[in-house]
Amino acid sequence: MWRTLALASAFFPGLFALGIRLLGWAAPGRSLKDRILLSGRLVSTVQATMATVSGITVVLNCKDVVHDRHWLAVEYIWVLVPYMTYDIYVMYLCHWHKSRDRGVAETKHSLASVRSFLLQERLMVTHHLFILVVLTPITQHFRGELGDFFVGCIFIAELSTPFVSLGKILVQLKMQDTLLHKVNGILILVTFFLCRILLFPFMYAAYARQVGIPIYMVPFRIPLHCNIANASLIAPQLYWFRLICRKAARLYGGSPADKSR
């Protein structure tokens, strides 16, 4: 636990800083803001890939979805904890640089800039804090030695993140009118729907099949905190999926002005 926490706490900020340095060397004309945004999205892609691979490994090795164990289901949580903490800081940093470029933020960091960030990114910050404060104790303590399969499923939800990050990078590089951007948009829709929306019915169906009950009986058989945690996780996913669908409608059916938004 402590070794994993220490390594992850050094790895993500170190990779972020290295990305900024390398981007400055490879593209010296880019501003610090651009390098911070690009590096942050690249680190996000690395973490999402690690989480997805860990999740697939856990799911494939847990034939009994209730009782089978896999060490990654426990250990990777201690990677997520420092990553989520790091990501909140990077989101703030990106927000501050964007606001400063618009002339909204002060030239120095202040409580006002923190408040502005928390207001604008309140859903994403709440999502990260929920994982840190609620899901971590549930997955590491309250569930006991049960449900590694379902923890692995939650890790797989990160599969859509590399495509979301690539979409933002393409827009940042002014490549939103390219075929790559359109193909990536389809991949975002498909992976987000499969791994962040259908994932939850899939987990309930897997449990129903394991214990031999109809799927509609599952919410009444599993602990209440599992239902609350799942509801709390899927609610923001539904909201974000709605935003993705609206953006896709503009991308594939709107005017050029709409596509650049």
Side-chain angles (χ1 to χ4, degrees):
M1 167 189 167
W2 295 113
R3 182 181 178 185
T4 303
L5 277 171
L7 288 173
S9 297
F11 176 71
F12 293 115
L15 187 61
F16 175 65
L18 178 63
I20 293 173
R21 292 287 296 273
L22 290 177
L23 287 166
W25 172 76
R30 292 210 165 270
S31 66
L32 177 59
K33 182 199 78 172
D34 282 346
R35 286 183 279 134
I36 286 173
L37 291 173
L38 285 169
S39 184
R41 286 160 184 165
L42 291 172
V43 174
S44 178
T45 298
V46 170
Q47 188 284 136
T49 303
M50 292 167 57
T52 302
V53 171
S54 298
I56 292 172
T57 302
V58 172
V59 168
L60 291 179
N61 282 279
C62 292
K63 306 304 180 185
D64 184 324
V65 304
V66 178
H67 299 100
D68 280 359
R69 305 301 313 276
H70 195 281
W71 65 273
L72 275 172
V74 174
E75 203 66 22
Y76 196 76
I77 294 294
W78 301 124
V79 176
L80 281 177
V81 168
Y83 172 75
M84 289 295 169
T85 307
Y86 145 87
D87 200 43
I88 290 173
Y89 171 72
V90 172
M91 285 193 298
Y92 163 73
L93 207 56
C94 294
H95 169 83
W96 183 78
H97 277 278
K98 289 178 181 178
S99 299
R100 192 178 65 165
D101 277 6
R102 295 195 304 266
V104 177
E106 301 175 14
T107 55
K108 293 184 178 180
H109 299 283
S110 64
L111 286 176
S113 60
V114 173
R115 281 196 299 269
S116 172
F117 161 69
L118 293 175
L119 284 172
Q120 186 167 327
E121 301 291 343
R122 56 187 176 276
L123 182 57
M124 187 64 79
V125 172
T126 301
H127 170 265
H128 281 36
L129 291 176
F130 180 80
I131 291 174
L132 289 171
V133 177
V134 179
L135 283 192
T136 298
I138 288 176
T139 55
Q140 299 299 69
H141 299 291
F142 296 133
R143 71 184 179 95
E145 297 187 351
L146 304 175
D148 280 13
F149 172 88
F150 302 106
V151 176
C153 288
I154 297 298
F155 292 165
I156 295 174
E158 285 291 288
L159 179 61
S160 63
T161 300
F163 303 108
V164 173
S165 295
L166 177 58
K168 291 179 178 178
I169 289 171
L170 291 173
V171 170
Q172 188 177 345
L173 298 177
K174 303 189 185 306
M175 297 174 63
Q176 62 264 40
D177 294 324
T178 62
L179 177 61
L180 176 59
H181 188 248
K182 292 181 178 180
V183 171
N184 186 67
I186 295 172
L187 292 173
I188 291 173
L189 277 170
V190 172
T191 56
F192 199 99
F193 182 68
L194 290 176
C195 298
R196 290 181 179 250
I197 307 298
L198 285 188
L199 173 73
F200 294 92
F202 168 76
M203 290 193 294
Y204 279 67
Y207 181 85
R209 185 170 60 252
Q210 176 73 38
V211 301
I213 61 173
I215 189 172
Y216 64 83
M217 289 296 297
V218 173
F220 305 102
R221 288 285 297 271
I222 63 177
L224 177 62
H225 64 259
C226 293
N227 287 314
I228 293 173
N230 286 332
S232 301
L233 281 173
I234 197 173
Q237 311 306 328
L238 291 170
Y239 172 75
W240 286 322
F241 187 66
R242 175 173 169 269
L243 295 182
I244 290 171
C245 289
R246 289 173 60 184
K247 190 168 184 179
R250 292 199 302 268
L251 177 64
Y252 300 110
S255 65
D258 289 334
K259 295 176 185 180
S260 62
R261 291 179 188 175

